[in-house]
DNA sequence: CGATCTACCTGATGGC
DNA sequence: TGCCATCAGGTAGATC
């Protein structure tokens, strides 16, 4: 479900709620959601008493920085990855528990943060900051982030030329560009007028330029619109609202509908075991 | 190196 | 109404 724009929306929504707050309580009931930990209670042991200092996002990972209580004031990182169906809500402690609530993080007030995840692919994990890169190596291996750490057009051109892969596989590879998923990859490729199965090293300078601009612009625009809630409206913001960027999508989930640019029918193809949407006329 | 498939899960949807 | 197949915003690992 959530990609860079949805996780960035979550980060922005959560930042004013969490920064400066102290975690007074943590209950993890979902074994699979805290699978990186040795045991269910380890998360609570680490985060209880910690004070949140800031929120970062690296690709689709949300990272909450905190400092432990006075006895063990080590800097901590709390990592949340939503995978396919994870949701994070800010609620009053008395709010009814939604089905599939796996982690509750109580704050120094009457409120708490809840991690809900029907498919249990998502995860919550915490550790000392000094251990983070070793314990969550995929974050350390992440490529450049379009919103948080953009590279120059020149550097991007070199990066694209250095691999011989399908454009879609390249964009989906988190080690190359962080945060793009199935939705925004298709949208970037449409904006760049490039087909998903083009080889990266065959792209013309103009195509590379268009792709670069789209990678920078689309996630920013989507995040400013609160992300995309698709047909099932599974993606929800911190207080349960749906996003607004689904109305801006050009190709994703628009199979058999007319292209907004040329009027021809948007096609759907299987790629890498999932769907890809494109305009066979506009994209080459 | 790169492509393709599978597994991990629950729930929504559509055909019959 | 139910039953079954198919599909879903991600990622890691096996296999060719």
């Amino acid at each position: 479900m959530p990609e860079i724009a949805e996780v960035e929306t979550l980060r922005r929504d959560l930042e004013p709620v969490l920064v400066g707050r102290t975690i007074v309580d943590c209950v993890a009931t979902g074994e699979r959601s805290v699978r990186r930990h040795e045991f269910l209670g380890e998360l609570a042991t680490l985060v209880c008493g910690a004070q949140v200092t800031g929120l970062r996002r690296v690709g689709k990972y949300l990272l909450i920085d905190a400092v432990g209580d006075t006895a063990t004031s080590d800097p901590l990182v709390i990592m949340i990855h939503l995978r396919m169906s994870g949701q994070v809500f800010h609620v009053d402690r008395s709010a009814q528990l939604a089905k599939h609530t796996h982690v509750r993080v109580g704050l120094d007030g009457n409120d708490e943060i809840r991690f809900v995840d029907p498919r249990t692919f998502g995860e919550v994990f915490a550790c000392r900051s000094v251990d983070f890169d070793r314990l969550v190596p995929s974050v350390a291996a992440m490529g450049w982030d379009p919103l948080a750490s953009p590279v120059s057009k020149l550097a991007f051109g070199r990066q694209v030329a250095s691999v011989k892969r399908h454009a879609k596989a390249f964009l989906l590879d988190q080690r190359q560009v962080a945060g793009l998923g199935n939705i925004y990859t298709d949208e970037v490729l449409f904006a760049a007028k490039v087909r998903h199965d083009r080889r990266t090293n065959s792209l013309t300078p103009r195509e590379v330029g268009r792709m670069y601009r789209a990678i920078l612009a689309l996630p920013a625009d989507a995040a400013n619109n609160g992300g995309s809630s698709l047909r099932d409206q599974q993606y929800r913001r911190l207080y349960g609202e749906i996003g607004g960027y689904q109305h801006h999508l050009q190709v994703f989930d628009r199979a058999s509908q007319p292209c907004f640019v040329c009027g021809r029918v948007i096609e759907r193809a299987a790629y890498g075991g999932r769907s890809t949407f494109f305009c066979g006329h506009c994209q080459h």
Side-chain angles (χ1 to χ4, degrees):
Chain A
M1 160 226 285
E3 305 181 19
I4 180 169
E6 290 72 33
V7 182
E8 175 63 14
T9 298
L10 171 62
R11 192 194 69 76
R12 292 177 189 177
D13 284 348
L14 211 43
E15 193 163 52
V17 173
L18 282 185
V19 173
R21 303 291 298 279
T22 298
I23 296 169
V24 297
D25 188 21
C26 176
V27 183
T29 48
E31 192 93 41
R32 275 184 50 79
S33 303
V34 294
R35 57 188 175 274
R36 245 178 252 252
H37 285 289
E38 299 275 326
F39 54 96
L40 262 174
E42 190 179 44
L43 177 69
T45 307
L46 278 157
V47 305
C48 280
Q51 185 178 29
V52 175
T53 55
L55 279 78
R56 292 175 289 141
R57 180 193 51 74
V58 180
K60 298 166 197 167
Y61 289 81
L62 180 70
L63 305 180
I64 301 169
D65 293 303
V67 285
D69 54 31
T70 45
T72 59
S73 59
D74 286 332
L76 302 173
V77 179
I78 304 164
M79 177 273 275
I80 298 175
H81 197 304
L82 304 172
R83 287 297 214 283
M84 293 289 269
S85 60
Q87 301 171 312
V88 173
F89 298 115
H90 178 220
V91 296
D92 193 271
R93 281 168 184 271
S94 62
Q96 197 171 17
L97 268 195
K99 198 175 178 183
H100 306 298
T101 299
H102 304 305
V103 181
R104 305 167 65 183
V105 178
L107 304 172
D108 53 349
N110 270 335
D111 53 335
E112 65 183 24
I113 298 301
R114 292 183 183 170
F115 177 76
V116 179
D117 185 12
R119 295 178 73 180
T120 69
F121 294 170
E123 61 174 319
V124 180
F125 174 72
C127 65
R128 296 191 309 161
S129 302
V130 290
D131 298 326
F132 187 75
D133 283 359
R134 179 173 56 82
L135 297 175
V136 190
S138 49
V139 172
M142 201 70 56
W144 63 281
D145 189 288
L147 300 176
S149 59
V151 298
S152 69
K153 186 167 145 187
L154 188 66
F156 179 68
R158 282 197 289 258
Q159 185 186 10
V160 164
S162 72
V163 290
K164 306 172 189 176
R165 304 179 62 186
H166 288 152
K168 175 141 180 167
F170 170 82
L171 293 174
L172 282 172
D173 187 341
Q174 302 298 296
R175 295 167 304 182
Q176 298 287 352
V177 184
L180 300 179
N182 214 27
I183 299 176
Y184 297 108
T185 291
D186 282 2
E187 294 298 310
V188 163
L189 289 170
F190 176 79
K193 302 181 179 163
V194 170
R195 283 179 60 104
H196 57 95
D197 53 1
R198 279 283 299 285
R199 296 280 163 181
T200 47
N201 62 340
S202 81
L203 297 173
T204 67
R206 296 176 73 95
E207 289 172 329
V208 174
R210 289 199 296 262
M211 191 178 288
Y212 175 73
R213 285 192 296 278
I215 291 172
L216 292 184
L218 299 193
D221 198 18
N224 289 337
N225 281 276
S228 303
S229 294
L230 301 178
R231 280 195 255 201
D232 65 3
Q233 305 203 335
Q234 255 257 296
Y235 163 65
R236 296 287 174 147
R237 296 179 59 170
L238 196 57
Y239 299 102
E241 325 95 292
I242 61 169
Y245 195 70
Q246 61 276 13
H247 306 301
H248 301 256
L249 297 175
Q250 302 292 300
V251 288
F252 192 82
D253 203 20
R254 294 197 64 246
S256 308
Q257 295 176 50
C259 170
F260 293 130
V261 172
C262 75
R264 303 222 194 164
V265 161
I266 299 298
E267 297 173 47
R268 172 200 188 124
Y271 182 79
R274 56 218 306 222
S275 294
T276 195
F277 301 88
F278 63 100
C279 174
H281 180 69
C282 292
Q283 294 171 251
H284 301 281

